[in-house]
Amino acid sequence: AQKVTQTQTSISVMEKTTVTMDCVYETQDSSYFLFWYKQTASGEIVFLIRQDSYKKENATVGHYSLNFQKPKSSIGLIITATQIEDSAVYFCAMREGNNYAQGLTFGLGTRVSVFP
Amino acid sequence: DMKVTQMPRYLIKRMGENVLLECGQDMSHETMYWYRQDPGLGLQLIYISYDVDSNSEGDIPKGYRVSRKKREHFSLILDSAKTNQTSVYFCASSSSTPSGNTLYFGEGSRLIVV
């Protein structure tokens, strides 16, 4: 069974710095997909970035990038040049490639607070 | 415009009343989902729908049923709501591509059962 664990419950950073948050996953499948979502204060859940397990290059979208360490079953999210509006809860999620029927499994989230 | 819309956004019901949560998407996505979000439990999958009249239980289906009569609409029904169904419910949709499904979420529906 798949499992996603985010060990950091909250992180505080100063504006314009870099924040890194961790996520480890468990799966028996050789093919899987990893996602990061952001939940804003209003409750909206927004897709940020994704990493497919067969890709060796770390995904990058805008000021979001991933640190994919497959041997460690780890997919960290890095946000550079943080802004106040990056304050949110960030969720890591996974889907096993052969388990299409089960949707995504989510971690419990990491709350990021960005201070001026 | 890619959008998932949920109605109503807020709802207060008495225990034993029926609840209907509706979801629409304008992306022609085949697959739709209902999740609930609770503190400490995160997002849990209730039901998944692969297309019209093709639905499957998720991890916590007990107490819920769903209906999908049009591809763009997916409803979550609580027959005789219980207080432990107080939660925030999220609908999501995705396309059925073999390369994996990125879920797009609605704004959420906050349900309080008293």
Side-chain angles (χ1 to χ4, degrees), chain B residues 25-108:
Chain B
Q25 49 100 359
D26 61 3
M27 297 169 277
S28 298
H29 284 167
E30 298 89 345
T31 310
M32 297 186 74
Y33 312 78
W34 278 106
Y35 281 85
R36 64 176 282 177
Q37 184 179 36
D38 302 286
L41 297 177
L43 285 154
Q44 298 175 277
L45 181 64
I46 305 171
Y47 266 95
I48 181 172
S49 174
Y50 305 110
D51 212 325
V52 172
D53 285 331
S54 179
N55 307 317
S56 180
E57 295 180 346
D59 299 320
I60 53 164
K62 187 177 180 181
Y64 303 95
R65 62 184 175 93
V66 292
S67 175
R68 192 161 178 208
K69 297 302 181 183
K70 293 182 179 180
R71 177 171 282 189
E72 61 270 23
H73 289 128
F74 190 33
S75 300
L76 181 69
I77 302 132
L78 289 66
D79 295 315
S80 187
K82 301 174 180 54
T83 55
N84 62 6
Q85 292 177 309
T86 292
S87 186
V88 182
Y89 292 86
F90 286 94
C91 175
S93 72
S94 68
S95 64
S96 301
T97 57
S99 60
N101 53 341
T102 297
L103 269 62
Y104 296 93
F105 283 85
E107 313 97 320

Side-chain angles (χ1 to χ4, degrees), chain A residues 33 35 37 39 42-48 50 52 54 89 91 95 97 100-109, chain B residues 9 31 33 35 37 40-43 45 48 50 59 90 94-107:
Chain A
F33 305 89
F35 304 82
Y37 284 82
Q39 186 169 33
S42 67
E44 183 184 15
I45 300 175
V46 179
F47 165 69
L48 295 178
R50 128 184 189 174
D52 298 347
Y54 60 87
V89 179
F91 292 98
R95 179 175 82 75
Y100 181 78
Q102 291 193 356
L104 300 186
T105 297
F106 286 83
L108 294 182
Chain B
R9 297 290 311 282
T31 310
Y33 312 78
Y35 281 85
Q37 184 179 36
L41 297 177
L43 285 154
L45 181 64
I48 181 172
Y50 305 110
D59 299 320
F90 286 94
S94 68
S95 64
S96 301
T97 57
S99 60
N101 53 341
T102 297
L103 269 62
Y104 296 93
F105 283 85
E107 313 97 320

Side-chain angles (χ1 to χ4, degrees), chain A residues 6-114:
Chain A
Q6 297 178 253
T7 57
Q8 302 154 296
T9 54
S10 64
I11 302 174
S12 295
V13 296
M14 299 298 291
E15 192 179 14
K16 301 179 184 176
T17 63
T18 296
V19 62
T20 300
M21 60 199 89
D22 303 325
C23 174
V24 294
Y25 56 89
E26 296 177 22
T27 180
Q28 302 299 319
D29 282 355
S30 58
S31 174
Y32 49 89
F33 305 89
L34 301 163
F35 304 82
W36 280 91
Y37 284 82
K38 168 185 178 180
Q39 186 169 33
T40 64
S42 67
E44 183 184 15
I45 300 175
V46 179
F47 165 69
L48 295 178
I49 191 170
R50 128 184 189 174
Q51 180 81 37
D52 298 347
S53 63
Y54 60 87
K55 293 184 178 179
K56 294 185 177 180
E57 292 181 1
N58 290 321
T60 297
V61 176
H63 74 147
Y64 302 107
S65 61
L66 297 178
N67 179 18
F68 181 40
Q69 300 184 58
K70 197 170 183 178
K72 295 184 178 181
S73 297
S74 171
I75 183 74
L77 175 67
I78 303 164
I79 309 175
T80 57
T82 53
Q83 304 165 6
I84 300 297
E85 49 266 34
D86 291 322
S87 296
V89 179
Y90 291 82
F91 292 98
C92 177
M94 178 176 71
R95 179 175 82 75
E96 293 174 327
N98 296 327
N99 224 350
Y100 181 78
Q102 291 193 356
L104 300 186
T105 297
F106 286 83
L108 294 182
T110 297
R111 180 177 298 278
V112 172
S113 300
V114 181

